[in-house]
């Protein structure tokens, strides 16, 4: 199939485009959110950059949507409406924001575009209404067991920790820095030490490294710390587990399902996490054993093959155009915002 999708979430796209299809990524001279294209990624030749304005609409077999605005954009430019005369699926990457647990999904209560959540927690947390929804868990291209743990330090991967603050558990970093020095990887980590009050000798902001360099450098840290309060299951956590790193994670969103107890510690008790981190830093052999358990769990649940198989099954189901409900105006069911609900 020829599948149209925007390059929105780099790590998820990295797994998705390694499948068995042809992937069409819109590109613009200025790049940006609507024209990032390949962005220099080392992806297979089956991933093609396209100018959406000149793309042959009939050449697209399906569209994978990731933002509500993409429905109107595809309709406007290609003249084909997702879910009506163009098979479509909507991938929800994020936990709901706003009046949780009463947050209505933007595609709730329409019957033409199935919603695919990347975690079971996300599906549970969003109010999907009567829309068809399912879960396809993440898949990770295996970087190999690169863990050395040679540095008695804690590794953290988080994007924009200063701006996102409590969402990403940035306020918890000083406590972890009291256990061992931190290496923090990710976009816009500059100024993190000053923002958190952590001495620069206890925190090193590494910035946004290329994937292979990130894996190599992260795997040198003794323990991976996942302090996220309210994000979807971070792919960096799964990558760390694939690397063979022991994990210390907040027991929030999908983390309790993803991280088995033998891989480290998963708890809402920060003091418990600090004790585990301290013990693992001091005991390299135990850290390595728990890292092996983490890798085994990640390969079993989040392997790339399983991810691709699930997506192939869903894409095969999209080959036939959807049927509209009786007395239902299809355009309204897709393009009108989902109903607002009152809190009981």
């Amino acid at each position: 199939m020829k599948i149209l999708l925007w390059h929105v979430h780099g790590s998820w796209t990295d797994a998705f485009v390694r499948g068995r299809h042809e992937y069409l990524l819109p590109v613009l001279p200025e790049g940006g959110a609507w024209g990032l294209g390949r962005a220099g990624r080392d992806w297979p030749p089956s991933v093609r950059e396209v100018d959406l304005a000149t793309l042959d609409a009939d050449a697209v077999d399906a569209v994978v949507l990731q933002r509500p605005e993409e429905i109107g954009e595809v309709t406007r430019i290609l003249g084909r409406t997702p879910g009506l005369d163009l098979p479509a699926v909507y991938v929800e990457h994020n936990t709901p924001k706003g009046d949780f647990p009463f947050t209505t999904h933007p595609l709730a209560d329409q019957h033409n575009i199935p919603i695919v959540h990347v975690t079971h927690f996300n599906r549970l947390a969003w109010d999907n209404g009567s829309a068809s929804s399912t879960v396809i868990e993440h898949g990770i291209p295996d970087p190999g067991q690169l863990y050395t743990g040679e540095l008695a330090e804690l590794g953290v991967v988080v994007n924009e920790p200063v701006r996102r603050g409590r969402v990403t558990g940035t306020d918890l970093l000083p406590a972890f820095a009291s256990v061992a020095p931190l290496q923090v990887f990710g976009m816009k980590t500059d100024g993190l030490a000053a923002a958190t009050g952590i001495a620069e000798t206890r925190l090193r902001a590494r910035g946004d490294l290329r994937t292979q360099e990130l894996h190599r450098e992260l795997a040198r840290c003794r323990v991976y710390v996942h302090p996220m309060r309210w994000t979807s299951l971070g792919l960096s956590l799964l990558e760390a587990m694939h690397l063979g790193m022991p994990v210390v994670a907040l027991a929030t969103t999908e983390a309790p399902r993803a991280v088995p107890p033998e891989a480290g510690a998963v708890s809402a008790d920060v003091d418990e996490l600090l004790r585990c981190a301290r013990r693992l830093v001091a005991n390299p052999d135990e850290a390595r054993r728990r890292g092996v358990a983490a890798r085994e769990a990640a390969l079993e649940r989040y392997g790339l093959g399983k991810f691709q198989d699930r997506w192939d099954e869903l894409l095969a189901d999209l080959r036939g155009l959807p049927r509209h409900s009786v007395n239902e105006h299809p355009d309204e069911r897709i393009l009108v915002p989902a109903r607002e609900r009152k809190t009981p």
Side-chain angles (χ1 to χ4, degrees):
M1 298 177 67
K2 292 184 179 179
I3 301 168
L4 174 67
L5 76 154
W6 273 269
H7 181 174
V8 176
H9 292 273
S11 295
W12 181 88
T13 307
D14 185 52
F16 184 74
V17 300
R18 295 178 187 276
R20 305 167 182 88
H21 306 281
E22 186 174 347
Y23 305 91
L24 311 177
L25 273 57
V27 65
L28 294 171
E30 65 274 19
W34 292 94
L36 197 56
R38 295 172 63 106
R41 297 267 187 159
D42 183 21
W43 285 338
S46 56
V47 183
R48 291 201 297 115
E49 293 183 336
V50 297
D51 179 352
L52 197 60
T54 60
L55 181 65
D56 179 4
D58 292 332
V60 180
D61 295 316
V63 57
V64 172
L65 306 163
Q66 301 169 79
R67 297 167 292 186
E69 300 82 5
E70 293 175 6
I71 299 173
E73 189 74 359
V74 171
T75 303
R76 181 179 67 85
I77 297 179
L78 294 188
R80 298 176 66 187
T81 301
L84 296 183
D85 54 5
L86 177 61
V89 61
Y90 187 97
V91 180
E92 180 53 70
H93 294 283
N94 301 314
T95 48
K97 297 176 177 63
D99 189 21
F100 176 76
F102 305 102
T103 314
T104 302
H105 194 275
L107 269 68
D109 295 324
Q110 53 77 40
H111 305 127
N112 298 306
I113 302 177
I115 304 169
V116 176
H117 294 280
V118 296
T119 71
H120 290 276
F121 180 87
N122 284 10
R123 186 188 189 191
L124 177 70
W126 280 102
D127 180 356
N128 301 297
S130 61
S132 172
S133 67
T134 189
V135 176
I136 298 182
E137 295 185 286
H138 289 298
I140 301 292
D142 182 16
Q145 187 164 352
L146 303 181
Y147 178 70
T148 66
E150 63 199 77
L151 302 177
E153 299 180 356
L154 306 177
V156 182
V157 180
V158 57
N159 289 325
E160 301 187 68
V162 176
R163 179 184 68 82
R164 298 169 73 193
R166 285 179 58 84
V167 170
T168 54
T170 304
D171 58 301
L172 303 177
L173 295 182
F176 284 104
S178 71
V179 171
L182 303 178
Q183 290 203 38
V184 182
F185 303 84
M187 294 186 293
K188 299 184 179 179
T189 55
D190 292 342
L192 180 59
T196 56
I198 301 174
E200 292 187 359
T201 57
R202 305 292 291 182
L203 187 152
R204 185 181 176 194
R206 301 296 306 276
D208 186 23
L209 304 183
R210 287 192 172 273
T211 302
Q212 289 185 342
E213 184 181 3
L214 168 63
H215 290 162
R216 184 177 63 252
E217 292 298 309
L218 181 62
R220 298 177 66 208
C221 297
R222 186 72 46 83
V223 182
Y224 183 79
V225 174
H226 191 68
M228 312 300 177
R229 272 195 181 88
W230 191 248
T231 67
S232 189
L233 183 61
L235 286 171
S236 58
L237 169 64
L238 302 183
E239 289 174 350
M241 293 172 67
H242 273 79
L243 293 170
M245 299 186 71
V247 171
V248 171
L250 281 185
T252 55
T253 62
E254 190 83 354
R257 173 177 170 82
V259 183
E262 57 270 21
V266 183
S267 177
D269 182 345
V270 176
D271 289 336
E272 180 181 349
L273 297 181
L274 294 174
R275 288 193 296 270
C276 181
R278 186 174 290 109
R279 186 178 71 250
L280 293 176
V281 168
N283 294 274
D285 289 342
E286 181 185 353
R288 184 173 296 278
R289 287 197 303 271
R290 292 187 177 274
V292 170
R295 176 170 167 78
E296 290 175 351
L299 289 172
E300 171 63 26
R301 175 162 289 160
Y302 302 106
L304 186 61
K306 181 180 292 187
F307 171 82
Q308 291 175 345
D309 288 344
R310 288 284 288 112
W311 267 105
D312 279 349
E313 292 171 4
L314 181 63
L315 291 169
D317 290 341
L318 290 180
R319 289 182 182 277
L321 290 176
R323 294 190 298 268
H324 307 307
S325 300
V326 177
N327 298 324
E328 178 181 314
H329 192 290
D331 291 329
E332 292 180 355
R333 299 306 298 169
I334 292 179
L335 299 178
V336 173
R339 57 186 167 79
E340 295 183 358
R341 300 181 182 184
K342 294 182 179 180
T343 303

